[in-house]
Amino acid sequence: MEHPTGYFTALDAVTRHVNSARPDAPVRPERPSPALLAPTRQATARALRRLADRIQPRPLPAAPRCS
């Protein structure tokens, strides 16, 4: 073999891939990412809600009924 390092690297990668599907595979806990844009999203949502309230058509007044 010309490049034994490539062989060992490939063998290690395949072994890690095969072992990762096992039920007892090591698991890294997922860290929640900080919400960097939360204030911006909230402000945008408030502005859009106010805009929707302004442009929403109002129901027509009920016509008087003759009985």
Side-chain angles (χ1 to χ4, degrees):
M1 297 187 89
E2 294 180 20
H3 302 286
T5 306
Y7 172 75
F8 288 116
T9 304
L11 186 63
D12 182 49
V14 168
T15 305
R16 286 178 188 239
H17 176 71
V18 169
N19 287 337
S20 70
R22 302 175 95 183
D24 58 342
V27 178
R28 287 189 227 159
E30 192 172 322
R31 295 180 185 164
S33 60
L36 299 176
L37 298 177
T40 305
R41 279 198 319 259
Q42 290 173 350
T44 304
R46 278 193 301 270
L48 289 173
R49 182 69 252 169
R50 277 193 229 120
L51 179 64
D53 288 341
R54 289 195 69 147
I55 64 174
Q56 180 178 5
R58 296 186 181 187
L60 293 174
R65 293 185 182 181
C66 294
S67 26

